[in-house]
C-alpha cells in the first residue's frame, strides 16, 4: 500500500482539514488507518471493510468519531481518510494498511492488516 497526503501537505492549523489517500495493491478486504506518537502504541483511527460499491462497514476510534471519515473507492482500489476539525492532539505519524481476508480482530486492530504503507507525519498546530 502507498499512503499519500493531499498536495504534499503534512501540516495544518487547528480546526483545519487534511485528507490521506491510501492506494492498495492486489485484492483488498480491509483498509485501516493508524497513528502513532513517540512512546505510545499504534492507535487505530479508522478501518473499513472494502466492498464493490464502497465500504461495507467503517469503524472509528473514539478520539476521531464525528471528525474523521473513511471512504473506499473500489474502482481505484483506494481509500480516503478525510480529517476535519483537526486538533493539536491529532499530531502523529499516520499509517495505512490493507488486509486481504477476514482476521477476526476488528478493523481497528493492527493484527487485521498485513501490507503496511510507509508512514507520513501530520502536524497540527494550535
Amino acid at each position: 500500500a502507498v499512503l499519500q497526503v493531499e498536495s504534499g501537505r503534512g501540516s495544518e492549523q487547528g480546526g483545519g482539514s487534511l485528507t490521506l489517500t491510501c492506494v492498495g495493491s492486489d485484492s483488498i478486504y480491509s483498509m485501516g488507518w493508524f497513528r502513532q506518537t513517540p512512546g505510545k502504541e499504534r492507535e487505530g483511527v479508522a478501518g473499513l471493510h472494502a466492498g464493490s460499491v464502497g465500504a461495507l462497514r467503517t469503524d472509528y476510534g473514539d478520539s476521531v468519531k464525528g471528525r474523521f471519515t473513511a471512504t473506499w473507492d473500489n474502482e481505484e482500489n483506494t481509500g480516503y481518510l478525510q480529517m476535519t476539525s483537526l486538533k493539536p492532539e491529532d499530531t502523529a505519524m499516520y499509517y495505512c494498511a490493507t488486509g486481504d481476508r477476514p482476521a477476526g480482530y476488528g478493523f481497528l486492530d493492527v493484527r487485521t492488516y498485513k501490507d503496511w504503507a510507509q508512514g507520513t507525519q501530520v502536524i497540527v498546530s494550535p
Side-chain angles (χ1 to χ4, degrees):
V2 177
L3 180 60
Q4 303 167 337
V5 183
E6 63 174 287
S7 303
R9 290 162 48 203
S11 62
E12 186 58 68
Q13 287 190 328
S17 302
L18 278 175
T19 297
L20 303 182
T21 300
C22 186
V23 182
S25 57
D26 300 324
S27 177
I28 305 297
Y29 173 83
S30 57
M31 178 174 283
W33 287 265
F34 295 80
R35 65 188 183 188
Q36 191 169 22
T37 53
K40 294 189 176 181
E41 292 187 356
R42 197 163 290 189
E43 174 192 7
V45 174
L48 59 81
H49 176 188
S52 60
V53 289
L56 298 177
R57 173 186 172 130
T58 309
D59 292 334
Y60 297 95
D62 289 340
S63 62
V64 306
K65 283 181 181 177
R67 300 188 298 121
F68 290 12
T69 302
T71 56
W72 170 250
D73 184 333
N74 194 62
E75 290 189 1
E76 299 295 329
N77 223 33
T78 298
Y80 303 91
L81 182 67
Q82 183 178 20
M83 307 186 292
T84 64
S85 300
L86 284 165
K87 304 175 181 179
E89 48 264 46
D90 293 319
T91 295
M93 185 70 77
Y94 281 74
Y95 301 87
C96 76
T98 60
D100 62 357
R101 68 196 68 189
Y105 299 112
F107 296 110
L108 299 179
D109 194 303
V110 296
R111 294 172 292 179
T112 295
Y113 305 98
K114 71 170 189 177
D115 183 18
W116 288 81
Q118 187 173 357
T120 189
Q121 181 71 43
V122 172
I123 299 172
V124 183
S125 57

